[in-house]
Amino acid sequence: MAWRNTPYSADAGYQGGAVVSETKSFGVVLRGLRQRGRLTMEELAEASGVSVRAIGDMERGRSRVPQRRTVVALAEGLGLADAEREALLVAARAARPKRAVAGTAVPPRSVGDFTGRGTELTRLTEAAQRARAGVGVSAWVVSGPPGCGKTTLALKAAADLAGEFPDGCFVVDLHGVEGPVDPGEALLKLLRALGVSDRRLAQEDAQGHAGLLRALLGERRCLVVLDNARDEGQVRLLLPAAGRSLVLVTSRRPLTGLEDVDRLTLSEMTQVEAVELLRRILGPQRADAEAEAVARVAELCGRLPLALRVAGNWLTVRSGWSVDHLVRRLADEERRLGALAAGDVRVEAAFELSYRQLTGQAARMLRLLSLVPVPDMTAAYGAALTATGLFEAEDVMEELVEAGLLRTTFTGRYQLHDLLRLFARARLSREAEPGEREVAEDRLRTWLLDTATAAGRWFGPVDGTPPPFGQGLVPLKSTEQARTWLESEATAWYAALRTAASRGEHTRVVKTAQAMEWFYDLWINWGHWSEVFRLSSEATAALDDPHLQAYHLNRYADVLANEHRYREAIERSDEALECARRAQDVSQQAWALFYASWPHGQLGQMQERFDKARAALDLFEAAGDHAGWLQAMIVHRASLRDLGRIEEALAQHERIIAFLDAPDCPVSGYAADKFRAKTVSGLGRDHAAVGQWREAADHFRSGLLLLQQIGIPGVEAEALMELGKALIELGETEEARTCLRQALAFGDAADSDDLKTAQTLLDSLPAE
């Protein structure tokens, strides 16, 4: 049995072995021969069958030295004579690093304070059991970003499972990130470790060696860890076909080209695991004395095992320093990566190794993705940042996934780890062309806000149309697609809006906020609407446009009222009314009165509510504002009901329905559906106000059905609560219980007062 017992590395793995330095640059030799033959890279690629990209990487020294068959193909493409061909092969052999692979026969060991990864260890244990029975696949790929603990997990599993493999445990460090071991060399070392004589090895070629290894691993029960693989080609010859052995491959890349393997993808630890790892490094007494600071260190390290290890070691060496001192050092984003260094182990260095292997396109993409203001993104973000097509951006981002620097979620979105984001941002500062960052930020902000504007316009009082901007990046061909984008990308476009406001881009802020007027009702409890319309109100003031200022102050007042900030809402409405009068804008005067009416009612000022709703109704009719007239009619009839004038309220219902049913109705689409649903639900309230509970329940059901079709969570929850109340009055407690529970299930999407009422009603019902 051969086991390589070497020092702990910066990637939570192992390193060591003598390296023979390069005596001749293969890339320089290749470039000289190509230039002597007056061939371009494209012409050599066509003549040899080797890609232009591969030739360029070899000449620039950015890729590993090619295998013999690639060198032979290049020699043929160059038309080299026998002597020159041999010289090129010699240059390749001389440039290839030589590393020791197998070492002394000692029992496998793992890190003593290994923490977490219980699910992953269980899966590998089950794999070992299946291997012992001769069933299942014989190889697993453990992949993940730099510093996530791939090697540590593999070695922990090997140490735990050594008893399952009596014919030996072997570790091969393939040095895939830098100076990769030639697969043929690794193959020979493994065969020698398995007891194959040099005489036997001399009788076989590379394919024969691979077949011999497969046969031996198929006959015996061995565990092999192929650590730090660069790509599929480096390990393909080392994998068993079947049998009772088990091979664990660790790599920053997922090695998607390998077949008949199972996979484990690692990422950062959970917060609980990260804190526990720090406790084990620091000792429970010290860690528990500063528990909050320890938890904060875990967060600032992005729960990445390597970063946690470095932070823990740093504190262990500096035992006189508090954990909070490290928190203060790590809190500075510009200095965080530099602070995560202990001795010769640096988190930044682990990232750098992978970064250096990227193509120019991928490296630039990684740098620019650091500008995305949210933790996850779609390929459209990459396309917007780089001014490329969606599929081209997706291809480049997939290269980053393959390199372990970007990861995908089950929803198909991409995520960039917090520490990698800081690394990429630092590289952007160092490597970007003058003005490149500002141009990219402007492209992303413009795309986010233009797309948000186009999506918001789908919800106006007339049917929307597909937006001309961004059609190739984001499909916006229906209200469903528009709503999905607005909600899923809300954090990003909201951040872009705030940035635009801070940069004085007043027109852009106003345009985006204005497009949200009708979408707001669908997502009324989002939590950021007051800030959106505060920013737009300030932008209109800066533009000194009283018409726009009235419009946005009215939107702001509406949001404040829905946040139960009634007096502030009335104040903003009064400001809007003054601006509208200065602008001689009758419609906005009507909206100012309308938005003040409901807050007055909530403050118990019922006559003021009625008077302002009535005045708004007249002004909307005079202005020919049909959507406003419908809104005011709904509030006016509610005011009549609250004043006990039920017959008049019912008559207003008939006027609204007749208007909506007219064949030439100027209001259509989502807005018309919303008005109809609210009107039908209002009819239920009219009947409930006079104790006609059966009629009330019937209308609440009809209104609820309409609301469910268009999806307004807050209003839907309110209708369920009111239906539940009517059913209780009718003695239909089981259906009432169901309705009230459904209302409560909306949680934060519903109005808090409605939720309290629903809970009170539910508690009043007899136990089931």
Side-chain angles (χ1 to χ4, degrees):
M1 177 178 69
W3 182 269
R4 210 160 70 78
N5 183 12
T6 52
Y8 191 70
S9 82
D11 194 24
Y14 286 77
Q15 63 185 8
V19 180
V20 178
S21 63
E22 296 183 8
T23 59
K24 184 69 173 177
S25 169
F26 174 79
V28 171
V29 174
L30 176 60
R31 185 186 299 111
L33 290 170
R34 178 177 61 79
Q35 292 174 346
R36 191 193 69 180
R38 299 182 181 278
L39 295 174
T40 65
M41 287 188 188
E42 289 77 9
E43 290 169 337
L44 178 55
E46 184 177 356
S48 65
V50 180
S51 70
V52 174
R53 173 178 160 185
I55 293 170
D57 286 347
M58 283 185 276
E59 289 191 359
R60 290 188 292 269
R62 295 189 59 182
S63 68
R64 62 191 176 100
V65 178
Q67 296 184 18
R68 179 184 174 85
R69 61 177 178 272
T70 303
V71 180
V72 170
L74 290 169
E76 291 177 353
L78 290 164
L80 300 182
D82 291 344
E84 293 172 323
R85 179 192 304 251
E86 185 58 31
L88 188 62
L89 289 167
V90 169
R93 286 196 296 270
R96 187 171 292 123
K98 306 298 189 295
R99 297 182 182 269
V101 178
T104 57
V106 296
R109 71 173 181 87
S110 63
V111 178
D113 51 21
F114 183 90
T115 303
R117 307 299 193 195
T119 300
E120 291 83 356
L121 285 172
T122 297
R123 291 185 66 187
L124 294 179
T125 299
E126 292 171 350
Q129 293 169 349
R130 289 193 295 271
R132 180 174 60 184
V135 297
V137 300
S138 301
W140 283 67
V141 175
V142 181
S143 63
C148 71
K150 301 175 291 293
T151 298
T152 304
L153 173 66
L155 295 182
K156 169 65 173 174
D160 291 350
L161 300 173
E164 299 284 341
F165 300 96
D167 293 320
C169 295
F170 306 87
V171 175
V172 180
D173 190 343
L174 297 175
H175 295 274
V177 179
E178 193 170 30
V181 171
D182 183 83
E185 181 184 348
L187 186 59
L188 287 173
K189 294 295 179 67
L190 265 177
L191 288 170
R192 291 190 179 105
L194 287 166
V196 179
S197 67
D198 288 341
R199 181 177 179 181
R200 173 76 182 277
L201 292 174
Q203 297 172 356
E204 304 282 356
D205 58 12
Q207 291 301 319
H209 294 157
L212 184 56
L213 179 63
R214 285 195 294 270
L216 290 173
L217 293 179
E219 297 167 358
R220 304 181 187 182
R221 287 171 54 191
C222 301
L223 175 62
V224 178
V225 177
L226 301 176
D227 187 34
N228 196 9
R230 179 187 179 95
D231 53 29
E232 294 88 342
Q234 197 182 21
V235 298
R236 189 170 276 117
L237 293 178
L238 308 177
L239 300 181
R244 297 188 296 167
S245 292
L246 181 65
V247 175
L248 305 180
V249 183
T250 72
S251 178
R252 297 185 178 191
R253 301 173 179 271
L255 306 185
T256 52
L258 293 180
E259 299 176 351
D260 297 323
V261 299
D262 274 331
R263 302 179 186 280
L264 278 177
T265 302
L266 299 188
S267 58
E268 66 269 21
M269 297 175 128
T270 66
Q271 179 68 6
V272 172
E273 289 174 337
V275 169
E276 181 58 25
L277 177 56
L278 288 172
R279 287 183 78 250
R280 292 187 179 188
I281 297 172
L282 299 177
Q285 183 175 1
R286 184 182 180 191
D288 294 346
E290 295 185 77
E292 290 186 9
V294 169
R296 183 61 179 146
V297 168
E299 293 171 355
L300 291 170
C301 288
R303 305 190 304 279
L304 193 70
L306 174 60
L308 293 166
R309 171 73 54 191
V310 169
N313 289 350
W314 193 91
L315 287 169
T316 300
V317 172
R318 296 162 179 81
S319 57
W321 289 18
S322 67
V323 180
D324 190 60
H325 181 82
L326 179 59
V327 169
R328 291 194 296 272
R329 288 174 62 92
L330 297 178
D332 184 347
E333 285 192 348
E334 292 186 4
R335 299 179 59 187
R336 188 176 304 165
L337 281 176
L340 287 172
D344 63 347
V345 181
R346 296 170 51 246
V347 173
E348 188 172 14
F351 296 160
E352 180 69 32
L353 290 173
S354 290
Y355 179 73
R356 289 208 304 259
Q357 294 180 2
L358 297 175
T359 63
Q361 273 188 312
R364 178 172 179 262
M365 177 69 80
L366 181 67
R367 295 192 297 268
L368 293 180
L369 289 179
S370 69
L371 301 175
V372 176
V374 289
D376 63 355
M377 67 206 80
T378 63
Y381 285 76
L385 281 164
T386 57
T388 57
L390 183 64
F391 294 125
E392 182 180 350
E394 190 174 65
D395 287 344
V396 178
M397 291 171 78
E398 285 298 323
E399 181 182 339
L400 293 174
V401 172
E402 289 290 320
L405 297 175
L406 197 65
R407 68 179 178 216
T408 54
T409 67
F410 69 94
T411 60
R413 298 177 71 86
Y414 296 92
Q415 290 182 335
L416 185 63
H417 189 274
D418 287 346
L419 295 181
L420 276 167
R421 185 187 303 276
L422 296 180
F423 172 84
R425 192 172 298 165
R427 290 299 177 278
L428 180 63
S429 298
R430 297 177 197 173
E431 301 175 24
E433 297 292 332
E436 181 182 10
R437 174 172 180 163
E438 291 73 17
V439 170
E441 286 178 324
D442 186 64
R443 279 198 301 261
L444 179 62
R445 186 169 62 256
T446 299
W447 171 71
L448 284 168
L449 295 182
D450 283 358
T451 307
T453 301
R457 286 175 177 165
W458 273 97
F459 302 95
V462 295
D463 286 329
T465 56
F469 176 82
Q471 192 70 13
L473 299 184
V474 178
L476 295 176
K477 298 181 180 179
S478 67
T479 54
E480 291 77 14
Q481 289 181 336
R483 180 174 182 174
T484 296
W485 190 90
L486 284 169
E487 292 185 3
S488 63
E489 312 305 331
T491 303
W493 66 255
Y494 172 58
L497 185 74
R498 296 183 67 182
T499 300
S502 69
R503 293 171 58 90
E505 298 172 358
H506 304 308
T507 301
R508 182 174 289 173
V509 171
V510 169
K511 181 180 176 183
T512 304
Q514 195 159 325
M516 298 299 151
E517 176 185 0
W518 295 91
F519 172 68
Y520 159 70
D521 280 345
L522 279 176
W523 207 24
I524 200 167
N525 291 308
W526 174 39
H528 297 291
W529 290 119
S530 60
E531 177 71 1
V532 168
F533 290 110
R534 181 187 69 79
L535 292 174
S536 66
S537 297
E538 292 174 352
T540 58
L543 292 171
D544 195 23
D545 186 327
H547 164 72
L548 281 177
Q549 195 171 1
Y551 177 94
H552 287 269
L553 282 168
N554 276 326
R555 303 287 81 73
Y556 190 17
D558 183 27
V559 175
L560 291 170
N562 280 302
E563 292 182 356
H564 302 176
R565 297 159 64 180
Y566 303 122
R567 297 192 186 281
E568 290 179 74
I570 293 171
E571 291 173 1
R572 298 293 84 73
S573 294
D574 289 344
E575 290 179 26
L577 183 60
E578 177 61 29
C579 290
R581 285 171 175 167
R582 282 198 292 123
Q584 298 182 342
D585 189 327
V586 176
S587 178
Q588 288 307 316
Q589 291 176 47
W591 281 110
L593 292 166
F594 170 79
Y595 283 126
S597 64
W598 189 65
H600 278 301
Q602 295 303 111
L603 292 172
Q605 301 163 352
M606 306 310 294
Q607 190 60 48
E608 288 87 342
R609 179 190 186 189
F610 175 83
D611 291 343
K612 289 194 173 180
R614 177 69 258 183
L617 190 63
D618 292 340
L619 287 173
F620 278 131
E621 193 163 7
D625 189 331
H626 304 292
W629 181 84
L630 283 167
Q631 291 264 53
M633 280 292 289
I634 291 171
V635 173
H636 177 58
R637 63 174 293 215
S639 300
L640 290 169
R641 180 178 64 241
D642 292 340
L643 291 172
R645 298 158 63 175
I646 303 300
E647 293 301 321
E648 293 178 74
L650 290 171
Q652 299 299 331
H653 166 81
E654 298 301 329
R655 287 186 67 190
I656 297 172
I657 294 300
F659 181 88
L660 290 171
D661 285 344
D664 58 347
C665 178
V667 179
S668 59
Y670 158 77
D673 293 340
K674 183 188 74 169
F675 289 137
R676 188 180 298 276
K678 286 189 172 183
T679 301
V680 173
S681 296
L683 191 57
R685 296 187 193 99
D686 293 343
H687 287 287
V690 293
Q692 297 173 350
W693 296 110
R694 177 57 61 192
E695 292 85 349
D698 289 344
H699 289 298
F700 283 139
R701 286 193 185 95
S702 298
L704 182 61
L705 186 61
L706 293 170
L707 289 167
Q708 289 170 336
Q709 291 173 351
I710 59 177
I712 308 179
V715 183
E716 188 178 338
E718 181 184 14
L720 282 164
M721 180 272 292
E722 292 175 319
L723 175 57
K725 182 178 180 180
L727 291 169
I728 290 174
E729 294 291 341
L730 292 169
E732 300 174 11
T733 57
E734 290 310 309
E735 186 180 353
R737 194 189 313 275
T738 299
C739 290
L740 294 171
R741 285 175 174 169
Q742 289 176 347
L744 291 170
F746 280 95
D748 292 341
D751 184 85
S752 59
D753 288 343
D754 291 336
L755 294 176
K756 290 176 184 176
T757 302
Q759 188 62 60
T760 300
L761 291 171
L762 187 62
D763 293 341
S764 71
L765 296 177
E768 293 180 277

